[in-house]
Amino acid sequence: MNSSFDNIIKSEKPVLIDFSATWCGPCKMLAPILKQVKDSLGERVTIFKIDVDKNQELASKYQVRGVPTMILFQNGIQLWRQSGVLTKDEIIKTIVEKSN
């Protein structure tokens, strides 16, 4: 997973990683919000969900202590990170501002 993950985050297009867990209530609230973000931004962003229980090494590498945690990457560089649930508009604004 790590080498493919590294390839994913090296994209020139912004990549939003959603570190989440199946047992996490706020993670379930965030999923439809991220779908709306994807619907709004389309091909301008890639969004991936990473299950921290199945990918503990990756969660540890990025020091994910709580879920949900979103991390925005572009060209392999971490541009932004936030724990908790944000609104669709807050997430879109962040992606657009940070990736320009």
Side-chain angles (χ1 to χ4, degrees), residues 14-77:
V15 179
L16 183 67
I17 305 294
D18 168 25
F19 286 93
S20 64
T22 54
W23 46 263
C24 162
C27 300
K28 292 182 176 106
M29 290 169 41
L30 186 59
I33 295 170
L34 291 178
K35 184 184 181 326
Q36 293 171 355
V37 169
K38 181 63 178 167
D39 291 345
S40 295
L41 292 178
E43 291 305 308
R44 296 188 332 196
V45 66
T46 302
I47 300 176
F48 277 99
K49 181 183 217 94
I50 302 281
D51 186 322
V52 293
D53 294 325
K54 294 179 182 163
N55 298 283
Q56 292 177 352
E57 190 179 311
L58 213 48
S60 175
K61 178 178 177 182
Y62 289 98
Q63 296 161 2
V64 175
R65 302 278 180 256
V67 287
T69 294
M70 294 175 282
I71 304 180
L72 183 67
F73 293 94
Q74 190 171 21
N75 298 314
I77 298 166

